[in-house]
Amino acid sequence: MSDDDNRDRIFSRRLSEVKAFEFNTTVASVFQDMISRSVPGYSLLLRMIGLYADIFVTPGSRVFDLGCSLGEASLIIADQTTDIDCRILAVDNSQAMIEKCKQHRLSAGAIEWRCVDIRQTPLDNASMVVLNLTLQFLQPEERRGLLENIYAGLNSGGVLVLSEKVAFEDKTESKRMTQLYQGFKKTMGYSDLEISQKRNALENVLIPDSEQQHLQRLESIGFDEIYQCFRGFNFVSFLAIKA
Ligand code: GEK
């Protein structure tokens, strides 16, 4: 397959009807290009996950990559933990994504690829849980339950990495961040048509919380240290530690 075949052109033609976004075979086939050109700082977020793995993953524990897509975070964690006896569980409910992981990520022995819903994934003995841009795809009322399960499944000293697109309560800030984010996507080669059709497809599929909602929820669940380690326009990443 050439680089050109991997290019995300899903929304480049005017569509008669823009359907709700799904993580299907078409999306899986261009996902790497799509996410790298759509999330400001995506490669930095992955490098940060590798760094956290180096610090927080402990021998005999498990690492959960929830909503792993093509497994980029799991691969980085596996690379950082070659000399630690730990198990990485990479979970996604998109058959297309997990099939691709199983076909192309064979070298990664410490990783178990699972096609399961993260809401039905038992979590225990975890030193690290990654929700890299995944929580935003759950219905808002389901998010707290999943985070509570994660907290319960984390060992003492364990961490949650939570990266998300965020909404802004202040109208001026919201408008400005949308303008900047759209500008970013244009610099990454997306046209106005692609940007607007993708936004319509994601409406009601990706529902962002605000930074304050994230912080208050993590704190009320019991996380003892919460750091916002990254922000790029309307994308943030938190590191939440269970004492
Ligand atoms: C990365 N973390 O490259 N159960 C399991 N998987 C789910 C669920 C669910 N209920 N809902 C959504 N997903 C990755 C990127 S992408 C982010 C994560 C994006 C999965 C969905 O199938 C998709 O693969 C992933 O969450 C979100 O570091 O596309 O913006």
Side-chain angles (χ1 to χ4, degrees):
M1 208 184 241
S2 70
D3 279 356
D4 214 39
D5 293 330
N6 296 327
R7 181 95 172 159
D8 169 25
R9 292 198 182 79
I10 294 177
F11 296 100
S12 61
R13 279 183 305 109
R14 188 172 296 282
L15 303 167
S16 51
E17 183 200 358
V18 179
K19 298 207 176 103
F21 189 85
E22 278 178 37
F23 291 97
N24 54 24
T25 315
T26 311
V27 168
S29 68
V30 296
F31 186 75
Q32 219 150 0
D33 177 65
M34 174 185 278
I35 196 153
S36 322
R37 291 199 289 133
S38 303
V39 175
Y42 176 68
S43 63
L44 175 60
L45 287 172
L46 292 176
R47 291 216 308 278
M48 287 165 69
I49 289 169
L51 160 74
Y52 301 148
D54 201 29
I55 297 172
F56 294 102
V57 175
T58 54
S61 71
R62 294 159 167 232
V63 177
F64 293 86
D65 180 8
L66 302 179
C68 64
S69 299
L70 297 182
E72 293 298 333
S74 290
L75 290 170
I76 287 203
I77 295 165
D79 256 11
Q80 285 298 323
T81 55
T82 44
D83 52 354
I84 299 178
D85 171 31
C86 64
R87 192 105 200 105
I88 301 163
L89 296 137
V91 181
D92 204 291
N93 67 349
S94 159
Q95 188 99 33
M97 293 289 188
I98 293 293
E99 288 289 306
K100 277 200 93 183
C101 292
K102 286 185 174 163
Q103 281 164 19
H104 302 291
R105 312 299 204 185
L106 293 177
S107 58
I111 308 174
E112 194 180 307
W113 307 107
R114 286 191 184 170
C115 188
V116 193
D117 196 301
I118 56 174
R119 292 164 299 181
Q120 263 100 58
T121 302
L123 296 147
D124 66 338
N125 185 25
S127 55
M128 180 164 165
V129 178
V130 177
L131 275 172
N132 198 36
L133 306 158
T134 303
L135 191 70
Q136 58 199 10
F137 290 103
L138 294 195
Q139 285 305 304
E141 65 278 8
E142 296 179 314
R143 296 175 187 177
R144 188 180 179 91
L146 176 68
L147 292 169
E148 284 173 348
N149 283 346
I150 290 172
Y151 184 80
L154 276 170
N155 296 335
S156 170
V159 291
L160 164 67
V161 184
L162 176 63
S163 314
E164 291 270 287
K165 186 175 189 182
V166 287
F168 298 92
E169 277 144 30
D170 180 83
K171 279 208 178 88
T172 308
E173 190 177 12
S174 176
K175 230 172 119 187
R176 185 65 69 202
M177 286 302 141
T178 304
Q179 178 195 35
L180 291 170
Y181 179 51
Q182 288 180 2
F184 165 79
K185 287 194 78 166
K186 283 176 91 164
T187 68
M188 299 306 267
Y190 284 114
S191 67
D192 287 328
L193 178 65
E194 283 176 295
I195 294 169
S196 85
Q197 292 194 129
K198 172 97 181 277
R199 196 178 52 230
N200 292 344
L202 283 172
E203 184 105 37
N204 303 321
V205 176
L206 189 171
I207 304 167
D209 288 325
S210 68
E211 286 176 31
Q212 292 80 354
Q213 280 173 303
H214 282 297
L215 285 168
Q216 280 164 12
R217 190 168 47 206
L218 291 170
E219 212 174 287
S220 69
I221 287 170
F223 284 96
D224 300 275
E225 289 174 60
I226 304 161
Y227 302 102
Q228 189 189 306
C229 292
F230 170 89
R231 170 150 168 207
F233 305 126
N234 46 352
F235 285 80
V236 299
S237 188
F238 300 101
L239 179 68
I241 305 176
K242 178 172 174 175

